[in-house]
Amino acid sequence: MGLININMFLIGILSISHRTDGYFEQLIDQCRFISKDLQDMEFIRSEVFNQVEIIRFNSTVGEFVGYTEYGFSIAKRMNSDTAYLAAIQAERDSVCKPNAWNHYRSIMDKTVKPTLRLRSVTPPSDRHPAMLICSAYSFYPKPISVSWLRDGHEIKSDVISTEELADRDWYYQIHSHLEYTPKSGEKISCMVEHISLPEPMVYDWDPSMPESERNKIAIGASGLVLGAIIALAGLVYYKKKSAGVLP
Ligand SMILES: *[C@@H]1O[C@H](CO)[C@@H](O)[C@H](O)[C@H]1NC(C)=O
């Protein structure tokens, strides 16, 4: 039975179990590491009998250690076989490091930037007249920080955030709500920090009207300008014409 257990610190590369007549034996190999350069990589092989670990090889120690009376005798025998010890010690570099490197390359190193959306909604209570929701969508991995700024300073009160919600497709989303009382001239921003972003992403809230309204006004204004130009042209033409007719 093979087991791949993905963890920042531990890859259980192999776990072999064997059960006969009520006896249960396991052989567990682990690659343990924290630093990304894998310098601290440790290879551990444990032999477990009826849930009791009897011997353990630890690559940092370089030999087997026994934990039960039977374990002591096996450890002693195995430690006297230098070729066998060297072969187990080599697994740290031949098995653990390539496996860990593969995990970094295929999973742990992957990051996806969030897509941000900032919108205004009706507040649920009447403590404050305004409420904003800052949403971050489709990011990976899970850890993220969403905060609110007023003129560059963090707002701590009246902020409610959801947990990071799993989209079930490896991506996550999160929503943060801010209830506030708008003041003229202030700048409210939503700031998102995530491993995929070299710098925090800051989104300023634009309190003016929504884009559709702005577009309507822009179309109306263009019509007005066009109308004014035509009217002016007509007036100039009329003036010229009437000036020409005069004696
Ligand atoms: C392996 O041995 C080192 C050095 O004694 C120790 O610090 C480490 O905790 C051991 N690891 C395990 C999993 O027993």
Side-chain angles (χ1 to χ4, degrees):
M1 181 176 68
L3 168 82
I4 302 251
N5 176 7
I6 302 149
N7 188 300
M8 263 302 190
F9 314 108
L10 175 67
I11 302 181
I13 52 167
L14 185 68
S15 167
I16 298 171
S17 305
H18 186 70
R19 185 199 289 272
T20 33
D21 298 334
Y23 295 111
F24 191 59
E25 189 196 358
Q26 280 173 293
L27 175 73
I28 303 166
D29 282 359
Q30 297 175 44
C31 300
R32 294 172 161 256
F33 59 103
I34 295 172
S35 81
K36 206 185 153 180
D37 61 13
L38 310 181
Q39 287 303 311
D40 60 349
M41 180 63 82
E42 199 168 70
F43 174 65
I44 307 288
R45 169 167 294 171
S46 303
E47 296 213 13
V48 179
F49 188 69
N50 281 351
Q51 296 190 18
V52 176
E53 187 175 16
I54 52 172
I55 54 169
R56 179 188 295 182
F57 176 86
N58 179 338
S59 65
T60 310
V61 177
E63 57 176 25
F64 283 92
V65 173
Y67 296 107
T68 64
E69 206 172 328
Y70 178 52
F72 296 146
S73 70
I74 314 177
K76 200 172 164 197
R77 201 177 65 227
M78 287 183 164
N79 288 337
S80 65
D81 188 342
T82 49
Y84 182 61
L85 278 190
I88 294 201
Q89 182 71 26
E91 299 216 359
R92 191 182 88 106
D93 292 339
S94 63
V95 178
C96 286
K97 288 192 176 177
N99 262 291
W101 188 78
N102 268 335
H103 279 296
Y104 269 118
R105 201 192 44 169
S106 56
I107 297 159
M108 295 195 276
D109 268 354
K110 293 250 184 284
T111 66
V112 180
K113 284 184 182 146
T115 309
L116 283 197
R117 192 167 164 223
L118 190 53
R119 62 189 198 277
S120 148
V121 291
T122 314
S125 68
D126 37 308
R127 268 187 311 142
H128 291 286
M131 183 164 175
L132 296 178
I133 300 181
C134 183
S135 302
Y137 295 99
S138 305
F139 56 88
Y140 183 88
K142 189 177 176 184
I144 197 166
S145 147
V146 181
S147 47
W148 293 93
L149 306 174
R150 172 179 277 129
D151 296 325
H153 300 287
E154 190 174 353
I155 310 172
K156 290 248 166 77
S157 57
D158 299 309
V159 172
I160 300 169
S161 285
T162 63
E163 311 248 293
E164 295 93 342
L165 308 166
D167 289 350
R168 302 273 196 107
D169 56 1
W170 287 75
Y171 298 118
Y172 292 89
Q173 56 178 286
I174 191 168
H175 308 273
S176 183
H177 301 69
L178 169 75
E179 277 190 73
Y180 74 118
T181 304
K183 293 190 196 85
S184 76
E186 73 181 350
K187 191 170 78 184
I188 302 284
S189 325
C190 170
M191 182 169 80
V192 173
E193 291 161 282
H194 187 249
I195 194 162
S196 62
L197 305 168
E199 291 184 357
M201 221 184 212
V202 178
Y203 251 57
D204 295 336
W205 171 242
D206 178 3
S208 59
M209 56 205 69
E211 202 171 332
S212 57
E213 291 298 308
R214 273 205 302 270
N215 285 346
K216 276 184 210 159
I217 292 181
I219 292 168
S222 326
L224 196 68
V225 169
L226 196 66
I229 290 171
I230 291 171
L232 196 69
L235 190 69
V236 169
Y237 178 74
Y238 169 77
K239 278 270 165 137
K240 280 223 164 133
K241 211 166 178 197
S242 50
V245 181
L246 281 176

